Amino acid sequence: MSASSIDSHLLENRVFPVPAEFAAQANIDEARFNALKAEAEQDREGFWKRLAREHLHWITPFQQGLDASAAPFYRWFADGRLNVSANCLDVHLHGAQRHKAALIFEGEKGEVRTLTYAQLHREVCIFANALKRQGIGPGDRVAIYMPMVPEAVIAMLACARIGAIHSVVFGGFSAEALKDRLEDTGATLLITADGAWRGGKLVPLKRHVDQALLREHEHKVRHVVVLTRTGQDVDIVEGRDIRWEDAVAGQPADCPAEGFEAEQPLFILYTSGSTGKPKGIVHSSAGYLLWAKLTSLWSFDLKAEDVYWCTADVGWITGHSYVVYGPLACGATVFLYEGAPMYPRPDRFWEMIARHGVTVLYTAPTAIRAFMKAGDEWPARHDLSSLRLLGSVGEPLNPEAWVWYREKIGAGRCPIVDTWWQTETGGHMIAPLPGVTANKPGSCALPLPGISAHIVDEQGVEIHSPDQGGYLVIQEPWPGMLRGVWGNPERYRSAYWQKFDDRYYIAGDSARRDADGYFWVMGRIDDVLNVSGHRLGTAEIESALVAHPAVAEAAVVGIPHEIKGEAICAFVILKHEHVGDDRDELGAALRAQVTELIGPIARPDDIHFVDTLPKTRSGKIMRRILRAIARGEEITQDISTLEDESGIDQLRPGK
Ligand code: WT7
């Protein structure tokens, strides 16, 4: 976001009322919304219990609601049992619903495949049996490193069917990042593909897998299932690797849905924090599924007739909750696209929306800004009249992009649902309800029913005065919340609860609330970057830089970027003996190093070679000073805690 758009963001006061036609058909109208809020206020636990009874299919009904005996390690519906895959598939196998499309897939090269609910159910059962055959059972961890193809969804649901815990690793991550996640989860089986198509190029997934599984690493992977996607040559390691086709051959299409405990972990998904390696966020079965389903019904107004498209990869939480679990639990038709957004031309999205009659589109501000930049003529060529709702997630949708999205994609007709949430929250937390809440461009509007979001100051005292910024926190536990950090309960406590003595879940964002109670998210309060809607920890990128033999020390900050939201700027101190090295070559080598250790999304945009970094007397890098320098701003902050003030001047680029 440029400085001028930050200004207009602050001054934004346009209000777009709910279109009457939309309100008339919405799942949640104003009366329902008020009733839900009142019900939650009166008896929050009873509210969640009622919803869990009505919206989930239980194999053993629960009696217990919230168990707060080990807070902040909360448990929900813990004495109940259910099967998550049955809630997404088997419940839709009655009558005509059975033969409606569950998935419509379009490959990057344009081929289309449709799977009805009956067919998806069949494929999931077959693959679940194949997993059992490979020795996988309840509680085992299964890693999934796949392209965006139906088999990725099948793999996730097959794990859920047999109570295995999946851990999807985004296909854009490097071998090294995959290795870290395999070691941390202790996965015994990995599902991958030979490769993936991305922007017309081949991504060698299986080659990354082979690198991640080198013998010296501490993983526990015994078997690798390899889907044939691109047909490229791969090494098949005898006794370890098995082709998908061979794994499913002869497996029966019958795999009864056993009931698993409500609190059985459904998946582990890694996300960046301000310190250390990414955290393995653990989500439950019942509470998570309930929240993914309810928010799909509420925020997206999802109906069985919808052709719904969430453009996220299944490697992110958005793909878990809003490509797979939420929309399938609602019985909608999910559209799935394999490739790059602008491939082969900038109208690929609009062409597919027209071709498949997409009704609900959920995408990210970074994509919207890129399309806006590509030009109005691209969407204008296509009939987008099937669309009825537009969603956004990942970072604040700046008003310019908001208005463009509304006018050029939604023809001024579709409500825009800007959803604030996180990997940790499982589903949307703050969002305008499309049939109820008037839109204000740039604001994610109001907390959903049952969600008690507040803004508190440094002492944890609630801020009531409008427009005063503070910590965005959630006071009451909710079913979709994370259950912990895999293998690291202490980190769960310290990252999310400790600062305010376990009284609130601390999101890590700063926000303000206006006089109408609308939330305006301002950004992260910690050192986490948001690049194209993806969280990246400064610590991860810094350690990737320092791993290069020429680097003595590194510090990374975010700088505003027109399309990506934030771009990565690195300050690097070279080791004495490398000070004379060619800077262009070193810059290229460092970018390659970060790509190799994390993935292309973490590549620094700017690299400044410096002699010193601003530090406090206790040795902490003062990032706010680096941020100001990287942005070319005057340093107005207090630098009294700085160890050596004279160093600041030489940090400025060009000096
Ligand atoms: C962080 C969570 C949740 C799926 C995508 C990213 C930022 C997310 C919004 C929004 C303002 C947003 C926050 C949050 N964020 N959505 N609508 N408005 N900021 O998931 O990687 O867990 O990142 O993304 O900073 O903390 P994630």
Side-chain angles (χ1 to χ4, degrees):
M1 220 188 291
S2 65
S4 64
S5 72
I6 289 172
D7 291 342
S8 63
H9 191 121
L10 289 175
L11 295 175
E12 183 60 48
N13 53 16
R14 277 170 289 187
V15 180
F16 294 83
V18 175
E21 240 173 278
F22 194 98
Q25 60 79 61
N27 287 343
I28 306 291
D29 59 13
E30 196 157 350
R32 285 283 299 141
F33 181 54
N34 290 332
L36 283 167
K37 276 197 307 185
E39 185 188 356
E41 287 310 311
Q42 250 164 34
D43 172 12
R44 200 172 295 269
E45 193 181 343
F47 165 81
W48 291 120
K49 284 172 86 171
R50 176 182 73 77
L51 291 168
R53 266 190 210 109
E54 286 175 15
H55 287 275
L56 297 181
H57 174 80
W58 294 87
I59 291 172
T60 309
F62 64 88
Q63 299 301 322
Q64 292 168 20
L66 173 66
D67 173 2
S69 58
F73 296 86
Y74 295 99
R75 292 153 55 85
W76 287 92
F77 322 121
D79 58 347
R81 294 177 86 90
L82 85 176
N83 186 294
V84 169
S85 92
N87 273 276
C88 295
L89 301 170
D90 306 43
V91 295
H92 307 307
L93 296 183
H94 307 289
Q97 178 83 349
R98 181 181 178 84
H99 301 301
K100 74 164 277 196
L103 295 181
I104 301 175
F105 167 73
E106 184 166 322
E108 199 178 71
K109 290 176 184 298
E111 79 277 22
V112 173
R113 243 174 95 191
T114 300
L115 284 146
T116 64
Y117 271 94
Q119 289 168 329
L120 182 61
H121 173 262
R122 182 185 152 82
E123 298 294 326
V124 167
C125 288
I126 290 174
F127 196 65
N129 284 327
L131 289 176
K132 283 190 190 167
R133 179 74 204 277
Q134 299 295 318
I136 297 299
D140 289 342
R141 275 81 64 209
V142 172
I144 299 177
Y145 185 62
M146 299 269 282
M148 271 296 279
V149 292
E151 285 79 3
V153 179
I154 292 167
M156 291 165 77
L157 291 170
C159 288
R161 191 150 196 101
I162 61 171
I165 304 170
H166 61 68
S167 181
V168 185
V169 179
F170 172 52
F173 277 134
S174 68
E176 187 72 16
L178 172 63
K179 176 204 110 176
D180 288 345
R181 285 153 180 77
L182 291 173
E183 288 182 352
D184 197 66
T185 56
T188 50
L189 186 136
L190 168 60
I191 306 163
T192 190
D194 47 2
W197 288 112
R198 184 86 194 167
K201 295 198 197 82
L202 287 176
V203 183
L205 293 177
K206 178 59 167 61
R207 210 192 315 145
H208 294 167
V209 165
D210 292 337
Q211 286 164 11
L213 294 184
L214 290 177
R215 204 163 300 130
E216 63 266 29
H217 298 150
E218 290 169 18
H219 66 82
K220 298 199 168 59
V221 176
R222 288 196 301 267
H223 297 291
V224 180
V225 180
V226 187
L227 177 77
T228 303
R229 172 63 195 144
T230 59
Q232 68 204 98
D233 275 344
V234 292
D235 292 332
I236 292 291
V237 177
E238 202 59 46
R240 184 194 75 183
D241 300 351
I242 178 167
R243 296 273 187 183
W244 180 291
E245 310 83 275
D246 297 331
V248 297
Q251 290 302 330
D254 175 37
C255 180
E258 204 186 312
F260 298 103
E261 285 184 12
E263 284 293 315
Q264 161 86 5
L266 179 63
F267 63 86
I268 305 168
L269 185 64
Y270 286 80
T271 191
S272 300
S274 47
T275 55
K277 289 198 169 178
K279 300 174 274 213
I281 302 301
V282 180
H283 277 288
S284 69
S285 293
Y288 168 81
L289 183 65
L290 176 66
W291 196 221
K293 180 178 181 185
L294 285 175
T295 49
S296 299
L297 291 170
W298 294 353
S299 318
F300 296 147
D301 190 48
L302 209 57
K303 312 236 164 64
E305 309 82 69
D306 276 308
V307 178
Y308 158 88
W309 183 21
C310 164
T311 67
D313 191 280
V314 289
W316 309 106
I317 189 69
T318 310
H320 284 60
S321 302
Y322 300 113
V323 173
V324 183
Y325 293 110
L328 293 179
C330 293
T333 294
V334 173
F335 177 64
L336 208 64
Y337 168 57
E338 172 183 40
M342 303 263 197
Y343 188 82
R345 286 188 315 268
D347 60 348
R348 180 64 187 262
F349 268 34
W350 320 127
E351 190 183 286
M352 291 192 297
I353 287 170
R355 180 156 49 237
H356 300 287
V358 171
T359 57
V360 174
L361 174 68
Y362 189 35
T363 192
T366 185
I368 298 166
R369 289 190 294 261
F371 290 129
M372 186 166 104
K373 199 162 179 207
D376 299 354
E377 65 274 24
W378 296 105
R381 286 184 192 176
H382 301 277
D383 175 8
L384 303 180
S385 60
S386 58
L387 287 170
R388 65 181 195 93
L389 184 148
L390 301 173
S392 171
V393 61
E395 57 178 303
L397 181 57
N398 51 301
E400 289 81 347
W402 196 101
V403 169
W404 186 86
Y405 197 29
R406 179 186 151 93
E407 298 304 326
K408 305 297 173 195
I409 308 305
R413 180 172 49 74
C414 304
I416 295 196
V417 182
D418 180 348
T419 58
W420 178 86
W421 62 295
Q422 311 177 288
T423 304
E424 293 87 340
T425 68
H428 305 154
M429 299 295 278
I430 307 180
L433 286 187
V436 180
T437 321
N439 279 148
K440 295 191 189 190
S443 165
C444 53
L446 306 172
L448 294 177
I451 300 304
S452 54
H454 301 286
I455 294 174
V456 302
D457 68 13
E458 196 59 45
Q459 277 69 47
V461 177
E462 243 187 83
I463 296 174
H464 294 289
S465 37
D467 296 326
Q468 200 184 321
Y471 292 82
L472 176 47
V473 298
I474 313 294
Q475 191 170 18
E476 304 289 340
W478 68 103
M481 69 193 297
L482 75 163
R483 294 304 193 264
V485 174
W486 182 255
N488 201 341
E490 203 27 62
R491 199 163 172 205
Y492 168 68
R493 237 202 164 102
S494 63
Y496 302 107
W497 298 93
Q498 206 156 23
K499 185 177 173 70
F500 300 128
D501 306 319
D502 295 356
R503 284 183 295 139
Y504 303 106
Y505 165 80
I506 305 160
D509 282 0
S510 60
R512 65 185 171 89
R513 208 167 10 180
D514 68 18
D516 299 324
Y518 276 52
F519 281 76
W520 298 76
V521 174
M522 292 148 68
R524 299 286 306 183
I525 38 174
D526 49 20
D527 293 325
V528 171
L529 308 182
N530 188 330
V531 180
S532 301
H534 299 305
R535 259 155 80 176
L536 291 168
T538 47
E540 284 167 84
I541 307 172
E542 286 161 6
S543 74
L545 289 167
V546 176
H548 190 277
V551 176
E553 219 184 329
V556 163
V557 294
I559 48 174
H561 185 277
E562 203 190 339
I563 291 181
K564 296 197 275 190
E566 247 180 332
I568 300 170
C569 175
F571 292 84
V572 172
I573 302 181
L574 294 174
K575 283 186 189 150
H576 185 68
E577 59 277 25
H578 289 280
V579 169
D581 291 7
D582 183 284
R583 300 288 161 98
D584 288 340
E585 270 174 37
L586 259 180
L590 291 178
R591 287 188 176 93
Q593 168 99 358
V594 176
T595 304
E596 194 190 318
L597 293 183
I598 306 174
I601 46 168
R603 262 168 71 102
D605 295 80
D606 298 342
I607 300 181
H608 300 297
F609 294 99
V610 296
D611 301 332
T612 162
L613 290 170
K615 287 190 184 161
T616 60
R617 287 183 188 96
S618 61
K620 235 175 114 59
I621 293 172
M622 296 179 79
R623 284 209 175 65
R624 54 196 173 87
I625 292 181
L626 291 177
R627 235 171 263 137
I629 292 169
R631 289 164 200 215
E633 294 164 4
E634 279 304 308
I635 296 174
T636 50
Q637 295 105 329
D638 174 23
I639 53 169
S640 58
T641 52
L642 194 66
E643 189 187 43
D644 174 15
E645 290 179 27
S646 65
I648 287 201
D649 230 29
Q650 76 76 38
L651 282 170
R652 293 196 179 281
K655 300 227 169 164

